[in-house]
PDB file of all heavy atoms in Angstrom:
ATOM      1  N   ASP A 619      45.621  41.671  86.655  1.00  0.00           N
ATOM      2  CA  ASP A 619      44.437  42.519  86.555  1.00  0.00           C
ATOM      3  C   ASP A 619      43.174  41.885  86.708  1.00  0.00           C
ATOM      4  O   ASP A 619      42.210  42.384  87.310  1.00  0.00           O
ATOM      5  CB  ASP A 619      44.592  43.204  85.144  1.00  0.00           C
ATOM      6  CG  ASP A 619      45.665  44.230  85.053  1.00  0.00           C
ATOM      7  OD1 ASP A 619      46.155  44.685  86.072  1.00  0.00           O
ATOM      8  OD2 ASP A 619      46.145  44.520  83.927  1.00  0.00           O
ATOM      9  N   GLU A 620      43.032  40.696  85.974  1.00  0.00           N
ATOM     10  CA  GLU A 620      41.827  39.946  86.152  1.00  0.00           C
ATOM     11  C   GLU A 620      41.568  39.410  87.585  1.00  0.00           C
ATOM     12  O   GLU A 620      40.429  39.481  88.086  1.00  0.00           O
ATOM     13  CB  GLU A 620      41.824  38.735  85.143  1.00  0.00           C
ATOM     14  CG  GLU A 620      41.737  38.992  83.754  1.00  0.00           C
ATOM     15  CD  GLU A 620      43.199  39.496  83.201  1.00  0.00           C
ATOM     16  OE1 GLU A 620      44.137  39.527  83.960  1.00  0.00           O
ATOM     17  OE2 GLU A 620      43.122  39.819  81.949  1.00  0.00           O
ATOM     18  N   ALA A 621      42.685  38.987  88.187  1.00  0.00           N
ATOM     19  CA  ALA A 621      42.535  38.512  89.603  1.00  0.00           C
ATOM     20  C   ALA A 621      42.094  39.673  90.594  1.00  0.00           C
ATOM     21  O   ALA A 621      41.207  39.534  91.405  1.00  0.00           O
ATOM     22  CB  ALA A 621      43.924  37.946  90.076  1.00  0.00           C
ATOM     23  N   PHE A 622      42.620  40.916  90.302  1.00  0.00           N
ATOM     24  CA  PHE A 622      42.189  42.019  91.187  1.00  0.00           C
ATOM     25  C   PHE A 622      40.740  42.374  90.884  1.00  0.00           C
ATOM     26  O   PHE A 622      40.006  42.713  91.865  1.00  0.00           O
ATOM     27  CB  PHE A 622      43.112  43.240  90.965  1.00  0.00           C
ATOM     28  CG  PHE A 622      42.873  44.441  91.731  1.00  0.00           C
ATOM     29  CD1 PHE A 622      43.031  44.470  93.036  1.00  0.00           C
ATOM     30  CD2 PHE A 622      42.013  45.519  91.169  1.00  0.00           C
ATOM     31  CE1 PHE A 622      42.742  45.620  93.852  1.00  0.00           C
ATOM     32  CE2 PHE A 622      41.792  46.604  91.941  1.00  0.00           C
ATOM     33  CZ  PHE A 622      42.003  46.641  93.270  1.00  0.00           C
ATOM     34  N   LYS A 623      40.304  42.436  89.764  1.00  0.00           N
ATOM     35  CA  LYS A 623      38.953  42.754  89.471  1.00  0.00           C
ATOM     36  C   LYS A 623      37.959  41.723  90.076  1.00  0.00           C
ATOM     37  O   LYS A 623      36.973  42.015  90.780  1.00  0.00           O
ATOM     38  CB  LYS A 623      38.704  42.802  88.010  1.00  0.00           C
ATOM     39  CG  LYS A 623      39.318  44.019  87.243  1.00  0.00           C
ATOM     40  CD  LYS A 623      39.229  43.977  85.749  1.00  0.00           C
ATOM     41  CE  LYS A 623      39.830  45.109  85.153  1.00  0.00           C
ATOM     42  NZ  LYS A 623      39.686  45.010  83.621  1.00  0.00           N
ATOM     43  N   LEU A 624      38.461  40.489  89.990  1.00  0.00           N
ATOM     44  CA  LEU A 624      37.608  39.456  90.669  1.00  0.00           C
ATOM     45  C   LEU A 624      37.659  39.572  92.183  1.00  0.00           C
ATOM     46  O   LEU A 624      36.572  39.498  92.768  1.00  0.00           O
ATOM     47  CB  LEU A 624      38.213  38.029  90.274  1.00  0.00           C
ATOM     48  CG  LEU A 624      37.513  36.897  90.849  1.00  0.00           C
ATOM     49  CD1 LEU A 624      36.103  36.733  90.476  1.00  0.00           C
ATOM     50  CD2 LEU A 624      38.250  35.517  90.542  1.00  0.00           C
ATOM     51  N   ALA A 625      38.809  39.878  92.859  1.00  0.00           N
ATOM     52  CA  ALA A 625      38.916  40.134  94.245  1.00  0.00           C
ATOM     53  C   ALA A 625      38.141  41.288  94.717  1.00  0.00           C
ATOM     54  O   ALA A 625      37.362  41.250  95.664  1.00  0.00           O
ATOM     55  CB  ALA A 625      40.330  40.242  94.566  1.00  0.00           C
ATOM     56  N   GLN A 626      38.107  42.370  93.855  1.00  0.00           N
ATOM     57  CA  GLN A 626      37.364  43.527  94.225  1.00  0.00           C
ATOM     58  C   GLN A 626      35.887  43.327  94.198  1.00  0.00           C
ATOM     59  O   GLN A 626      35.102  43.809  95.053  1.00  0.00           O
ATOM     60  CB  GLN A 626      37.741  44.643  93.225  1.00  0.00           C
ATOM     61  CG  GLN A 626      37.422  46.030  93.747  1.00  0.00           C
ATOM     62  CD  GLN A 626      37.918  47.113  92.696  1.00  0.00           C
ATOM     63  OE1 GLN A 626      38.277  46.815  91.517  1.00  0.00           O
ATOM     64  NE2 GLN A 626      38.088  48.323  93.256  1.00  0.00           N
ATOM     65  N   GLN A 627      35.371  42.609  93.184  1.00  0.00           N
ATOM     66  CA  GLN A 627      34.021  42.302  93.143  1.00  0.00           C
ATOM     67  C   GLN A 627      33.512  41.486  94.204  1.00  0.00           C
ATOM     68  O   GLN A 627      32.330  41.673  94.631  1.00  0.00           O
ATOM     69  CB  GLN A 627      33.699  41.534  91.620  1.00  0.00           C
ATOM     70  CG  GLN A 627      33.966  42.387  90.567  1.00  0.00           C
ATOM     71  CD  GLN A 627      33.763  41.578  89.223  1.00  0.00           C
ATOM     72  OE1 GLN A 627      33.607  40.360  89.297  1.00  0.00           O
ATOM     73  NE2 GLN A 627      34.044  42.137  88.097  1.00  0.00           N
ATOM     74  N   HIS A 628      34.233  40.598  94.695  1.00  0.00           N
ATOM     75  CA  HIS A 628      33.864  39.711  95.768  1.00  0.00           C
ATOM     76  C   HIS A 628      34.420  39.998  97.099  1.00  0.00           C
ATOM     77  O   HIS A 628      34.502  39.140  98.063  1.00  0.00           O
ATOM     78  CB  HIS A 628      34.059  38.225  95.391  1.00  0.00           C
ATOM     79  CG  HIS A 628      33.417  37.736  94.035  1.00  0.00           C
ATOM     80  ND1 HIS A 628      32.046  37.452  94.007  1.00  0.00           N
ATOM     81  CD2 HIS A 628      33.937  37.789  92.860  1.00  0.00           C
ATOM     82  CE1 HIS A 628      31.754  37.186  92.834  1.00  0.00           C
ATOM     83  NE2 HIS A 628      32.879  37.357  91.974  1.00  0.00           N
ATOM     84  N   ARG A 629      35.026  41.170  97.226  1.00  0.00           N
ATOM     85  CA  ARG A 629      35.622  41.737  98.514  1.00  0.00           C
ATOM     86  C   ARG A 629      36.635  40.658  99.116  1.00  0.00           C
ATOM     87  O   ARG A 629      36.690  40.347 100.256  1.00  0.00           O
ATOM     88  CB  ARG A 629      34.515  41.962  99.574  1.00  0.00           C
ATOM     89  CG  ARG A 629      33.477  43.002  99.145  1.00  0.00           C
ATOM     90  CD  ARG A 629      32.457  43.231 100.180  1.00  0.00           C
ATOM     91  NE  ARG A 629      33.042  43.877 101.258  1.00  0.00           N
ATOM     92  CZ  ARG A 629      33.243  45.304 101.346  1.00  0.00           C
ATOM     93  NH1 ARG A 629      33.053  45.979 100.284  1.00  0.00           N
ATOM     94  NH2 ARG A 629      33.852  45.851 102.321  1.00  0.00           N
ATOM     95  N   GLN A 630      37.670  40.342  98.211  1.00  0.00           N
ATOM     96  CA  GLN A 630      38.636  39.339  98.524  1.00  0.00           C
ATOM     97  C   GLN A 630      39.971  40.066  98.267  1.00  0.00           C
ATOM     98  O   GLN A 630      40.958  39.342  98.082  1.00  0.00           O
ATOM     99  CB  GLN A 630      38.440  38.101  97.700  1.00  0.00           C
ATOM    100  CG  GLN A 630      37.129  37.412  97.944  1.00  0.00           C
ATOM    101  CD  GLN A 630      37.117  36.690  99.295  1.00  0.00           C
ATOM    102  OE1 GLN A 630      38.101  36.110  99.832  1.00  0.00           O
ATOM    103  NE2 GLN A 630      35.981  36.744  99.833  1.00  0.00           N
TER     104      GLN A 630
END
Side-chain angles (χ1 to χ4, degrees):
D619 292 339
E620 292 81 357
F622 178 75
K623 290 177 182 178
L624 178 63
Q626 197 173 22
Q627 290 173 2
H628 300 281
R629 302 184 68 80
Q630 299 290 320

